[in-house]
Structure formats: C-alpha cells, structure tokens
C-alpha cells in the first residue's frame, strides 16, 4: 500500500485555516486569519488594469525580474538603511513563506536545530518539521515578550544551526529593540548560527521610530537572510510576492532552491510589484495611520468586554489574554468567543510547541471598519464566562 511520507507524521492543516472554515459555517466575523482585507492602493490597481496585457507573461529568471529586485533593494534601503546588491543579494519568491522554505532547504540539513521564539508564527514550526529539522523553542513571557541573553543561550544545543526571528512579530506585535538584536548577534557569532529574520510587517508599526532591520545591527549582515513580502505592505497577499535578501554566498543556494521548487515568482505581478515598491512616503504614512485606528478600535472592544488585549507595536494583530473568562486554555476561549459571540479568533496554542502560560487568542484587525465595528458589537453583546 502506498503510504504517506514519515515527515508528514503529526503535521496538520493550519489552525488558522480551520477557524476560517468554522467562521464561514457559522456566519461569524473572522478575526482569525490575517487575510489583509483592506483595499490595495488604488493607483496600483489602476496601473495593473491599464498595463497588464503589455507585461511579460512568461517565466522570469529564478531570482526574479531585474526591475523587481532593484525595487526591493531601493525599498529596503529607504525604509531601514539595509544595503543589498539587487543582482546578487535579492531573490524573488512565492510569498515570504516560499522564501522561508527556500532558505531552510538551501542552508540547513535534516536534523539541524532551529531556534524559534514563542509565541511564533505557526508556519515556522510546520516548515521546520516538514524539512525534518528540529525546532528548539525559546519561551518569551508576556506582556513584554522580550528576548533575554540567558534564555537564548540556554536554548542553544550541539545541533543548533539557525534561529528565526520576526519583527514586528506575529502574533504579539513586538518590535525587537537594538539591545535584543545585539543579544541575537552575540549568540549567533559565538555559535556560528544562521539568522533568518521575517520582516513582512516592516511597514506596519505604531510610534515614531522607523523599522529596525536585524541585518543592520552588529555583525548580523554577514549571517542573516531577511524575508520580506508585498502582501502586507500593499494589501495584496493573494499575489504571493515575497523576497529574500542576504549575503551573496547564501543567496546563490537560495536561488537554486527557488528554481527547484517553483521555477520563479509570478513574472507579471513582479513587474507591477516593482511599481508598488516605489510608492512615496505619503502612502506609508496614511497606511500606518489607518492601521493604528483599526488597532485602537478592536482593542477597545476586547477591553470593554472585560478581556486584556496587548498593545502591539507593529503588525496587525492583538494577542488577547482571556484569563478573565475563567478558562484554562486559548482553545476554550476561542470556542466561547465563536459560539457565544460569533467572533472567530485563533487559540494561542497555535503559536507554541507546548501549552502557553496563559489562555491567549489572536485577533486580526486588517479588516474593513464596518467589519471591526460588527465584531466590537458582538463582543459587547455575547455571553462571556468570567472568572
């Protein structure tokens, strides 16, 4: 009998996707999936409508169109001061998830250990396991979720070869500080570790300080692969446009992995994406102001319902402490919110290898204002069990 590969043992479909299905079945407001349901820039859509037939509709090179890679290099230089050579240090990918898979495949071997900081995006764990690597968790505790040198050094083992960081973070919204990134740099230097930094939310932050790219801190540039995406910054996640940037000696192998997996990212969308990456600062200022308003609206709704949302510094999620519901787990809290309030959230367990220390749920606020208003109303009117 034909069998399923051993590496698939224990892997399941995303808890986020499963909650989306349940929301559809029950008619619930879906705050679970980070679908980025705000409109893309009108100028980008108009540009695409005018020019799509004139774009190239064949393959690009595996590393992507030159115009796209040049736009990526210009963008990351403007937004964070990170300097990369577009011809040799940028590879276009099918979303940031494709960039992660290509990076893990190209630079690590089966059995290698990969440090992840919990709570973390669940696809890190599934990608690590899919490639028969070993996840090595570092538990960060709320509400600060700060990296400490003691906890990071304690997590390094003889098989550790890499670590994945995410800033701004999904699900907590934390932006890593220069001090924390210096800890990452010191440990990586001492143990010769690859650092993979997921910065897909780099343009969504709250406060005056600009995005801090990990590769600009200390000696990290020489050992860091930075993952990025157009999906979050321009509300086009379905275009599946991402990229990886890093040292030339690493990017060559990542290019080969991308070629082997998918040949290339969608070529006509790369051409349009290059134009999006050249939008002016006014776009980003308005973009952040919109998300800050949505963040405050949804946080106020959870707080008024008696729960404890965090104060994210970036990204478009709240990580809500549901202890006041008198529940032991995020799974229980998410079920009550779904059944009683018709509001879908993601149990905090989706972001940990083991049980989290509190009953958390994650709620996305990348939604139209009227949908967020409906969610706030349902939170106010439904029955929540408080301890």
């Amino acid at each position: 009998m034909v069998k399923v590969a051993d590496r698939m043992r224990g892997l399941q479909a995303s808890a986020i996707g499963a909650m989306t299905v349940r929301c559809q079945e029950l008619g619930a407001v879906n705050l679970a999936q980070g679908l980025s349901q705000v409109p893309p820039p009108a100028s980008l859509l108009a540009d695409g409508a005018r020019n799509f037939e004139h774009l190239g509709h064949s393959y690009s090179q595996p590393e992507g169109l030159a115009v796209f890679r040049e736009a990526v290099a210009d963008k990351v230089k403007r937004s964070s001061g990170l300097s990369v050579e577009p011809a040799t240090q940028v590879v276009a990918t099918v979303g940031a998830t494709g960039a992660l898979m290509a990076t893990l495949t190209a630079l690590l071997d089966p059995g290698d250990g990969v440090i992840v900081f919990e709570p973390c995006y669940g696809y890190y764990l599934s990608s690590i396991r899919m490639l028969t690597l070993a996840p090595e968790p570092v538990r960060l505790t709320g509400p600060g979720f700060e990296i400490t040198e003691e906890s990071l050094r304690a997590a390094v083992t003889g098989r550790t070869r890499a670590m994945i960081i995410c800033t701004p973070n999904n699900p907590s919204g934390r932006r890593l500080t220069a001090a924390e990134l210096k800890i990452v740099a010191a440990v990586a230097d001492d143990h010769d570790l690859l650092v993979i930094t997921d910065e897909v939310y780099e343009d969504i932050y709250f406060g005056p300080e600009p995005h801090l790219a990990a590769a600009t801190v200390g000696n990290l540039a020489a050992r860091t692969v930075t993952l990025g995406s157009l999906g979050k910054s321009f509300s086009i996640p379905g275009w599946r446009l991402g990229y990886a940037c890093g040292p030339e000696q690493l990017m060559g192998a990542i290019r080969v992995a991308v070629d082997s997996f998918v040949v290339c990212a969608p070529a006509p969308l790369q051409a349009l994406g290059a134009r999006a990456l050249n939008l002016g600062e006014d776009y980003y200022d308005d973009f952040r102001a919109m998300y800050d308003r949505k963040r405050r609206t949804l946080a106020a709704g959870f707080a008024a319902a008696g729960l404890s949302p965090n104060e994210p510094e970036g990204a478009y999620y709240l990580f809500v402490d549901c202890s006041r519901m008198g529940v032991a787990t995020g799974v229980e809290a998410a079920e009550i919110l779904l059944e009683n309030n018709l509001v879908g959230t993601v149990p905090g367990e989706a972001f940990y290898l083991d049980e989290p220390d509190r009953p958390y749920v994650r709620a996305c606020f990348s939604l139209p204002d009227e949908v967020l208003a409906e969610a706030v109303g349902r939170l106010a009117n439904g029955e929540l069990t408080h301890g």
Side-chain angles (χ1 to χ4, degrees):
M1 177 183 292
V2 176
K3 71 179 186 69
V4 174
D6 289 342
R7 65 175 171 273
M8 299 300 295
R9 193 169 296 153
L11 291 180
Q12 298 178 340
S14 162
I16 299 171
M19 182 59 78
T20 291
V21 171
R22 294 198 64 202
C23 286
Q24 292 169 345
E25 292 172 346
L26 296 175
V29 174
N30 184 6
L31 305 182
Q33 194 155 7
L35 294 174
S36 189
Q37 294 188 41
V38 299
S43 61
L44 176 62
L45 298 182
D47 193 3
R50 282 194 307 269
N51 297 304
F52 196 75
E53 67 177 299
H54 305 297
L55 301 175
H57 294 281
S58 187
Y59 302 124
S60 74
Q61 311 94 306
E63 64 270 27
L65 295 175
V67 68
F68 180 77
R69 289 178 283 121
E70 289 164 2
V72 168
D74 289 345
K75 167 62 169 58
V76 298
K77 179 66 174 178
R78 292 195 312 270
S79 65
S80 63
L82 177 62
S83 296
V84 291
E85 169 56 50
T88 58
Q89 292 184 267
V90 181
V91 172
T93 61
V94 180
T97 305
L100 175 65
M101 286 293 288
T103 301
L104 294 173
T105 302
L107 304 182
L108 298 175
D109 292 314
D112 284 349
V114 182
I115 287 174
V116 293
F117 296 91
E118 296 179 317
C120 69
Y121 181 45
Y123 273 84
Y124 302 158
L125 302 176
S126 59
S127 297
I128 288 168
R129 288 166 168 156
M130 177 78 73
L131 297 174
T132 63
L133 304 168
E136 299 180 324
V138 175
R139 178 67 63 94
L140 307 181
T141 57
F145 298 109
E146 296 174 0
I147 294 174
T148 66
E149 186 164 2
E150 180 182 16
S151 63
L152 179 52
R153 289 193 180 278
V156 178
T157 69
R159 68 183 178 186
T160 307
R161 295 291 177 270
M163 68 176 88
I164 300 175
I165 60 177
C166 180
T167 180
N169 180 265
N170 174 9
S172 72
R174 274 289 328 280
R175 300 172 71 196
L176 296 183
T177 65
E180 289 172 295
L181 290 171
K182 287 176 181 177
I183 292 170
V184 168
V187 175
D189 281 345
D190 289 349
H191 296 276
D192 193 21
L193 303 180
L194 167 70
V195 176
I196 303 169
T197 175
D198 178 352
E199 301 184 17
V200 301
Y201 296 100
E202 64 173 328
D203 294 312
I204 306 174
Y205 57 83
F206 314 111
E209 294 300 320
H211 174 65
L212 177 60
T216 63
V217 175
N219 298 321
L220 280 173
R223 61 174 67 256
T224 297
V225 175
T226 301
L227 312 182
S229 169
L230 277 65
K232 315 304 183 186
S233 296
F234 306 106
S235 307
I236 49 172
W239 288 26
R240 308 308 299 133
L241 279 181
Y243 54 86
C245 304
E248 181 177 349
Q249 69 271 21
L250 303 182
M251 297 312 298
I254 292 171
R255 174 195 178 278
V256 173
V258 168
D259 189 12
S260 301
F261 281 146
V262 294
V263 180
C264 66
L269 298 184
Q270 289 183 56
L272 289 173
R275 302 177 193 192
L277 288 163
N278 287 314
L279 288 172
E281 287 307 308
D282 285 351
Y283 166 75
Y284 294 101
D285 291 342
D286 292 344
F287 181 71
R288 283 188 281 273
M290 172 195 69
Y291 270 123
D292 191 20
R293 174 172 47 78
K294 291 178 184 292
R295 173 184 68 137
R296 294 175 185 276
T297 295
L298 190 58
F302 275 104
L307 305 182
S308 301
N310 69 331
E311 296 184 15
E313 300 163 306
Y316 50 53
Y317 307 104
L318 300 176
F319 207 45
V320 183
D321 182 349
C322 298
S323 299
R324 294 179 184 175
M325 294 173 67
V327 296
T329 68
V331 172
E332 293 176 73
E335 190 65 24
I336 291 171
L337 289 166
L338 182 65
E339 294 286 346
N340 293 2
N341 301 74
L342 291 179
V343 172
T345 58
V346 185
E349 284 79 357
F351 307 99
Y352 292 82
L353 273 81
D354 297 314
E355 294 293 316
D357 56 332
R358 289 178 177 272
Y360 291 111
V361 299
R362 191 196 74 175
C364 175
F365 52 85
S366 181
L367 294 161
D369 290 345
E370 60 271 20
V371 176
L372 293 176
E374 177 66 22
V376 168
R378 294 184 182 191
L379 289 170
N381 295 327
E383 291 291 328
L384 294 179
T385 302
H386 298 277

